[in-house]
Amino acid sequence: MKIHPYAILFGVIIGIMFLLALRHPPFAIFMTLVSIVGLDYFFKNRSKIDSDKGDKS
């Protein structure tokens, strides 16, 4: 499974922000992982939609 590079970057940033805001490391780690998976799903689906639009024109 290949993870989108921006998903990793933004996921780690979101995790650090949760850690700084809440000071609860287990929750910050959990939110980091959830955001990486969610952003990866978003970026991969977005690229499929963009490539489909390019083929129709």
Side-chain angles (χ1 to χ4, degrees):
M1 179 176 156
K2 190 172 180 182
I3 299 175
H4 196 278
Y6 283 138
I8 295 172
L9 178 68
F10 293 144
V12 170
I13 291 171
I14 289 170
I16 290 171
M17 291 300 141
F18 265 95
L19 181 63
L20 293 175
L22 301 178
R23 302 283 189 206
H24 191 63
F27 186 68
I29 293 170
F30 174 72
M31 286 309 297
T32 302
L33 295 175
V34 167
S35 63
I36 288 173
V37 170
L39 288 168
D40 182 53
Y41 179 76
F42 171 76
F43 286 132
K44 286 183 179 176
N45 278 342
R46 178 102 176 158
S47 66
K48 286 181 187 176
I49 292 170
D50 290 341
S51 66
D52 290 343
K53 285 182 182 177
D55 292 339
K56 291 180 181 177
S57 57

